[in-house]
Amino acid sequence: MKFRRSIIVLIALIIHALPSLGQDKKSCGEGFSDPVRYVTRSTMYGVGFTNVFDTYLSPQEYKGIDFRISRETMRMTKLFDGNVSVQNFFQADIGYTHNRADNNNAFSGLANWTYGLHYQFRLTENFKLLAGGLFDANGGFVYNLRNGNNPASARAFVNLDASGMAIWHLKIKRYPITLRYQVNLPLIGLMFSPHYGQSYYEIFSLGNAGGVVQFTSLHNQPSLRQMLSVDLPIGDTKMRFSYLADLQQSNVNKIKTHTYSHVFMVGFVKNLFRVSNKQAISLPPALEAY
């Protein structure tokens, strides 16, 4: 008897939900033609080579291995008649390096987040060029395992970047491939840097913080990030293989630094469709998973 009552209640709830389901499906169908709701998201993991140099810690270069993870989303917007896309990119890396004499080691790490807009010039149906700007924020460290007084150096800087992309959709014997090249060039920004020989104790405990934040541009921070990637469908999954050249360098407060990283990355790409609360299909609470 209880089982029959449960079946009757469930059927009644489904019948009650059918009209609203029909209306919501119609509204969702209209939304599927809106390119603004399509999001391309990728998560990637990589390993490569890094070269770290920081005269605050040592006059020597340190070379070794770099481990990196990245996450990216791209989607179209309604700006300029729907010709502008937005990119949100985050990456973080950890490096383990050694000096030329191989008698000392260092750890380094940097988290980088960029967010910006690109105008899309659609030259053909399958090839387009993108040009725009990015906000570029960075924070990290270099830790020298043998230094006594100043074993670590902090990295903190923000930039406004010029950014460009080329995206090509092609087929090789009906096999779809997507190629992309992107380059980001920091133009102006701000960087935190102690003076040469100044300890962090002086800055944060004694308050001697004058001049530790400096304006940067191409003359004292000539840097570049560029990436080449290829997207390949493998079964029901789309995979991305990429090469990243992350070339960061600076000469601020008489301290010279550089981090040159060359990383090969692999990951997965997902194409998602965003549904707003108004367009989401409404189910009775008894039928929802949450």
Side-chain angles (χ1 to χ4, degrees):
M1 184 63 70
K2 290 183 180 181
F3 177 75
R4 291 181 180 179
R5 288 180 181 178
S6 300
I7 294 296
I8 294 173
V9 171
L10 181 60
I11 293 174
L13 289 172
I14 294 175
I15 293 174
H16 176 74
L18 284 177
S20 60
L21 285 172
Q23 295 176 358
D24 289 335
K25 284 181 179 178
K26 182 178 179 180
S27 63
C28 282
E30 295 172 352
F32 274 108
S33 62
D34 186 3
V36 176
R37 299 191 179 279
Y38 284 91
V39 178
T40 300
R41 177 179 296 169
S42 67
T43 302
M44 305 193 69
Y45 308 89
V47 62
F49 167 82
T50 188
N51 180 320
V52 180
F53 177 65
D54 191 331
T55 57
Y56 181 80
L57 300 175
S58 171
Q60 301 184 66
E61 287 185 335
Y62 283 70
K63 301 178 181 180
I65 193 169
D66 182 273
F67 300 96
R68 190 171 299 239
I69 183 173
S70 70
R71 183 177 178 87
E72 177 192 18
T73 60
M74 285 187 66
R75 64 176 178 84
M76 297 303 299
T77 70
K78 295 182 179 180
L79 299 174
F80 293 94
D81 298 324
N83 290 314
V84 174
S85 60
V86 60
Q87 183 187 38
N88 189 338
F89 186 87
F90 174 82
Q91 63 174 341
D93 75 279
I94 292 289
Y96 181 68
T97 55
H98 57 86
N99 61 6
R100 180 179 297 180
D102 202 16
N103 60 6
N104 192 16
N105 298 300
F107 285 101
S108 62
L110 187 73
N112 163 245
W113 174 65
T114 59
Y115 185 90
L117 303 173
H118 293 89
Y119 189 92
Q120 301 205 359
F121 299 91
R122 297 178 176 88
L123 304 184
T124 68
E125 183 178 351
N126 298 317
F127 181 76
K128 54 188 176 182
L129 297 176
L130 286 69
L134 302 172
F135 174 76
D136 183 353
N138 303 265
F141 69 93
V142 179
Y143 184 81
N144 192 301
L145 296 182
R146 291 187 64 179
N147 278 18
N149 294 331
N150 295 325
S153 175
R155 302 281 178 89
F157 52 98
V158 295
N159 294 302
L160 294 178
D161 299 358
S163 178
M165 269 191 256
I167 301 177
W168 186 20
H169 297 269
L170 69 155
K171 290 185 178 181
I172 299 179
K173 294 184 178 180
R174 298 184 180 181
Y175 187 78
I177 297 175
T178 303
L179 297 175
R180 177 181 69 166
Y181 171 75
Q182 179 172 357
V183 57
N184 300 336
L185 175 67
L187 297 179
I188 59 172
L190 295 172
M191 175 178 288
F192 167 82
S193 174
H195 297 276
Y196 185 80
Q198 183 183 28
S199 68
Y200 287 91
Y201 174 79
E202 295 179 57
I203 299 173
F204 297 107
S205 297
L206 302 181
N208 298 330
V212 298
V213 177
Q214 294 287 337
F215 170 81
T216 57
S217 189
L218 299 176
H219 68 287
N220 59 358
Q221 193 197 11
S223 302
L224 193 71
R225 282 191 176 103
Q226 52 185 344
M227 179 173 62
L228 178 65
S229 65
V230 55
D231 294 359
L232 303 173
I234 300 177
D236 296 331
T237 303
K238 181 182 289 187
M239 297 196 68
R240 175 171 295 174
F241 301 87
S242 70
Y243 160 72
L244 174 67
D246 195 348
L247 311 175
Q248 304 296 313
Q249 56 186 1
S250 66
N251 186 354
V252 177
N253 286 340
K254 298 183 179 179
I255 296 176
K256 295 182 179 181
T257 71
H258 72 230
T259 301
Y260 304 145
S261 299
H262 301 273
V263 184
F264 294 92
M265 307 188 72
V266 61
F268 300 93
V269 181
K270 293 182 179 180
N271 294 314
L272 308 175
F273 183 79
R274 300 187 308 154
V275 179
S276 65
N277 290 332
K278 293 182 179 180
Q279 290 183 318
I281 298 175
S282 299
L283 290 174
L287 300 181
E288 289 184 344
Y290 179 78

